[in-house]
């Protein structure tokens, strides 16, 4: 059975994604059809939407690891995004202000993502990583499924004239519920302790141990957990018990003292050293070009809407098809990743994405519409949480949020560049040429990524 922390974090993401997807579902409609932006202008804003998360990902991961306050950092990110939903009301029809609000909203996502994923990773044993992330992403995607339906319902009930403002207000209220759930039900994962006779191996402190709430139970060790520096040295620190002060088995060390030692082992230099680790570097280098060749969902929905001549009012419902496929596949793919290998599932996800792009080049029809949406959802299910499940165990506990932030930052920056490039290609050469270019790029990226991911553990 998975930890309650995973379920609680999934519930937070459920409400947050309802909120986010309500806005995401109406933004293309608002920007393209209300404000009459060109594909290039829309691509710039879409790139900000995708890439602004990179602004605070590394900072959020580093601060969360250094000060052992992953819940606090994640909560700040969730709260910032919730406030920004109401900021859309103040932006009005000003494109620069809308861009600023989008940037702040997505910066909140960047701040919270790595600490949240680190809390999930640290709440379950290594062999359950895929299932944990699969469950979380399934709950997250349930929100993504409900969000567009809610937005469509709000606009239909209020009317197109004031419907967008109503969507922003309802979205902000739903986001606030997510922040409240985080504050009340999510706990900071238990400290990791070094097992006797298992150098370099660690596991979560056992719940219900004899230690008091403010302490960390240590096995028979000579230094507190986390006193081992980023270099791997076990040189005793001034605040660590020395060999003649070794703690008897089961004796509790004050959590403040243990955390102080761990904080000294986390630094930006240490974070940079993570890239020197070959398995983690392979995952990082593999994921970056794949992100550079990814068409954003907003552009994907606009392509489908224009190719199939779908009425613009139905555009907010297209994400429902993607979310439904993602929701149905997230948990099974997580389990498959734990059994068959996470790298294999990630590769399969990007192959599905490539097939999605090929279908966009075929003559339009209802079957193509359904297949594209399903394949996009399956590609999300095979990559979104599984990449974190693949990279997480390759990272030391005290730098897990930072390491995950490095991967997520590379992905976000790649996706931002991809949106800008796709918008420019669409404006200059047309949508078909833009899709052909991205499909070719994804094929090349897979050729680079497959051998690297095959060698990565997981």
């Amino acid at each position: 059975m998975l930890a309650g922390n995973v379920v609680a974090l999934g519930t937070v993401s459920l409400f947050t994604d309802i909120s986010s997807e309500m806005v995401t579902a109406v933004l293309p409609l608002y920007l393209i059809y209300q404000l009459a932006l060109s594909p290039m202008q829309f691509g710039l804003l879409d790139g900000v939407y995708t890439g602004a998360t990179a602004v605070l990902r590394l900072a959020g991961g580093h601060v969360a690891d250094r000060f052992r306050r992953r819940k606090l950092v994640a909560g700040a990110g969730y709260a910032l995004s919730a406030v920004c939903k109401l900021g859309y009301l103040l932006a009005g029809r000003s494109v620069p202000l809308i861009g600023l609000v989008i940037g702040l909203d997505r910066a909140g996502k960047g701040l919270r993502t790595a600490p949240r994923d680190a809390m999930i990773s640290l709440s379950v044993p290594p062999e359950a990583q895929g299932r944990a992330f699969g469950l979380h992403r399934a709950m997250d995607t349930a929100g993504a499924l409900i969000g567009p339906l809610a937005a469509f319902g709000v606009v239909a009930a209020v009317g197109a004239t004031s419907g967008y403002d109503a969507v922003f207000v309802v979205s902000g209220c739903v986001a606030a519920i997510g922040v409240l759930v985080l504050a009340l039900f999510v706990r900071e994962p238990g400290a990791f302790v070094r097992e006797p006779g298992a150098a370099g191996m660690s596991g979560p402190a056992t719940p219900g141990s004899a230690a008091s709430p403010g302490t960390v139970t240590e096995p028979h060790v000579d230094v507190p957990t986390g006193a081992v520096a980023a270099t791997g040295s076990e040189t005793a620190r001034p605040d660590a018990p020395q060999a003649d002060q070794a703690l008897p088995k089961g004796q509790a060390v004050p959590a403040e003292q243990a955390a102080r030692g761990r904080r000294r082992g986390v630094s930006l230099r240490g974070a940079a050293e993570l890239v020197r680790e070959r398995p983690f570097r392979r995952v990082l280098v593999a994921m970056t070009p794949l992100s550079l060749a990814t068409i954003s969902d907003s552009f994907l929905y606009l392509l489908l809407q224009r190719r199939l001549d779908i009425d613009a009012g139905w555009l907010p419902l297209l994400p429902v098809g993607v979310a439904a496929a993602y929701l149905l596949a997230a948990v099974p793919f997580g389990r498959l990743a734990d059994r068959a290998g996470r790298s294999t599932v990630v590769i399969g996800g990007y192959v599905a994405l490539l097939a999605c792009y090929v279908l966009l080049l075929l003559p339009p029809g209802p079957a193509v519409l359904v297949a594209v949406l399903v394949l996009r959802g399956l590609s999300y299910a095979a990559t979104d949480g599984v990449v974190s499940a693949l990279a997480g165990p390759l990272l030391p506990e005290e730098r897990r949020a930072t390491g995950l932030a490095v991967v997520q930052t590379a992905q976000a920056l790649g996706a931002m560049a991809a949106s800008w490039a796709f918008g420019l290609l669409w404006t200059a050469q047309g949508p078909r040429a833009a899709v052909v270019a991205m499909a070719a790029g994804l094929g090349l990226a897979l050729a680079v990524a497959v051998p690297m991911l095959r060698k990565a553990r997981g």
Side-chain angles (χ1 to χ4, degrees):
M1 179 178 290
L2 293 175
N5 225 32
V6 176
V7 178
L9 285 164
T11 304
V12 174
S13 290
L14 171 70
F15 284 107
T16 303
D17 240 45
I18 292 174
S19 170
S20 297
E21 293 303 321
M22 287 182 70
V23 174
T24 302
V26 300
L27 265 185
L29 191 63
Y30 182 60
L31 296 174
I32 294 291
Y33 293 101
Q34 286 281 96
L35 303 186
L37 298 188
S38 70
M40 183 176 68
Q41 292 172 315
F42 179 77
L44 290 175
L45 284 181
D46 191 54
V48 171
Y49 183 88
T50 304
T53 61
V55 174
L56 290 179
R57 280 182 191 263
L58 285 174
H62 174 70
V63 171
D65 278 340
R66 184 170 181 81
F67 298 102
R68 318 297 292 177
R69 294 292 184 268
R70 299 182 182 95
K71 177 181 174 179
L72 181 63
V73 175
Y78 281 111
L80 176 60
S81 292
V83 171
C84 284
K85 299 303 186 296
L86 301 179
Y88 288 105
L89 293 173
L90 301 177
R93 299 176 64 88
S94 170
V95 175
L97 285 180
I98 290 174
L100 176 62
V101 174
I102 287 174
L104 291 174
D105 185 358
R106 305 311 288 176
K109 177 178 175 59
L111 185 64
R112 69 181 181 252
T113 300
R116 181 205 64 203
D117 283 355
M119 285 193 287
I120 295 171
S121 182
L122 294 171
S123 296
V124 295
E127 64 273 12
Q129 296 282 313
R131 281 173 288 162
F133 279 101
L135 175 64
H136 174 268
R137 294 312 194 258
M139 298 181 73
D140 181 275
T141 307
L145 181 64
I146 297 169
L149 293 172
F152 184 80
V154 169
V155 173
V158 178
T161 304
S162 56
Y164 298 112
D165 288 348
V167 167
F168 298 146
V169 171
V170 174
S171 173
C173 294
V174 174
I177 296 175
V179 176
L180 186 61
V181 172
L182 177 78
L184 294 178
F185 299 106
V186 174
R187 60 175 176 79
E188 194 77 40
F192 272 51
V193 295
R194 188 177 297 279
E195 298 292 343
M201 299 298 293
S202 59
T206 304
S209 64
S212 63
T215 60
V216 178
T217 301
E218 295 281 340
H220 188 72
V221 291
D222 294 331
V223 293
T225 303
V228 179
T231 58
S233 169
E234 299 193 14
T235 303
R237 300 189 181 278
D239 58 348
Q242 303 303 314
D244 59 341
Q245 299 173 305
L247 296 169
K249 184 176 181 179
Q251 180 172 328
V253 175
E256 182 180 352
Q257 178 180 334
R260 184 166 61 247
R262 284 192 298 265
R263 285 196 295 268
R264 293 183 180 185
V266 179
S267 66
L268 289 176
R269 179 180 297 178
E273 290 175 355
L274 291 173
V275 182
R276 299 179 186 175
E277 299 296 328
R278 184 172 295 177
F280 176 72
R281 185 172 67 245
R282 284 172 177 158
V283 174
L284 177 63
V285 173
M287 298 312 302
T288 303
L290 291 171
S291 299
L292 281 167
T294 299
I295 300 173
S296 76
D297 287 353
S298 295
F299 269 127
L300 181 68
Y301 303 143
L302 286 173
L303 284 167
L304 289 171
Q305 184 263 327
R306 294 193 176 189
R307 283 181 58 79
L308 278 74
D309 197 25
I310 301 172
D311 185 88
W314 295 97
L315 186 63
L317 292 183
L318 293 182
V320 175
V322 174
Y326 187 175
L327 178 62
L328 292 174
V331 172
F333 279 11
R335 291 174 178 167
L336 179 64
D338 286 335
R339 292 198 305 267
R342 293 156 198 157
S343 60
T344 300
V345 173
V346 170
I347 292 168
Y350 278 99
V351 170
L353 185 61
L354 181 58
C356 172
Y357 294 170
V358 172
L359 287 177
L360 288 172
L361 301 174
L362 298 180
V368 171
L369 171 66
V370 173
V372 167
L373 296 178
V374 169
L375 284 172
R376 188 66 184 107
L378 293 178
S379 70
Y380 270 131
T383 58
D384 192 14
V386 181
V387 172
S388 293
L390 172 64
L394 304 179
L395 299 161
E397 180 268 338
E398 69 274 8
R399 285 187 253 161
R400 192 160 299 182
T402 304
L404 290 174
V406 170
V407 175
Q408 293 160 359
T409 297
Q411 289 180 287
L413 291 175
M416 178 175 67
S419 285
W420 290 349
F422 191 83
L424 287 171
L425 285 170
W426 185 331
T427 302
Q429 302 294 330
R432 183 179 179 84
V435 173
V436 169
M438 296 299 279
L442 184 57
L444 291 175
L446 276 169
V448 172
V450 167
M452 291 190 176
L453 291 175
R454 290 288 189 192
K455 294 177 182 177
R457 291 178 293 173

